[in-house]
Amino acid sequence: MILIYMALLALAFSLPLLLCLRAPRNLPERRDAALALHRAQLVELERDLADGRISRAEHDGARLEIERRVLAADAFPPPRKAAAPKCC
């Protein structure tokens, strides 16, 4: 009986670890969402500059940072097309 409890306890402790180690499946959506977010930030940044809310130096620094983040987000793997099912 104690062996059953030990096995259940081992499973309870190892299951979260195994779930964390599996490969994430939502990377294409994550990439697209990140790129859309950064595009929106660039539009907002241009609007803030046009409205006079930020100076040109602040604009340039913020634009450089957003562009750096766009490059980092673009490093995610691109969305894969679904493979055609193979027939016998």
Side-chain angles (χ1 to χ4, degrees):
M1 189 71 161
I2 188 94
L3 292 176
I4 294 173
Y5 290 131
M6 290 174 61
L8 288 175
L9 189 61
L11 180 65
F13 281 115
S14 62
L15 187 60
L17 179 64
L18 292 176
L19 291 176
C20 289
L21 292 178
R22 69 183 175 131
R25 290 184 249 168
N26 63 348
L27 281 181
E29 294 87 10
R30 182 177 172 191
R31 177 182 182 264
D32 292 339
L35 291 175
L37 172 74
H38 296 310
R39 280 189 212 108
Q41 286 178 341
L42 286 171
V43 169
E44 185 178 355
L45 188 64
E46 294 299 326
R47 187 175 58 234
D48 287 347
L49 179 65
D51 291 345
R53 292 186 186 135
I54 59 174
S55 69
R56 186 57 145 171
E58 291 172 326
H59 171 267
D60 292 342
R63 183 173 179 86
L64 186 64
E65 177 64 24
I66 293 171
E67 288 173 352
R68 185 187 63 78
R69 290 180 185 175
V70 166
L71 289 174
D74 197 37
F76 290 131
R80 290 185 291 168
K81 294 181 181 176
K86 294 182 180 179
C87 191
C88 304

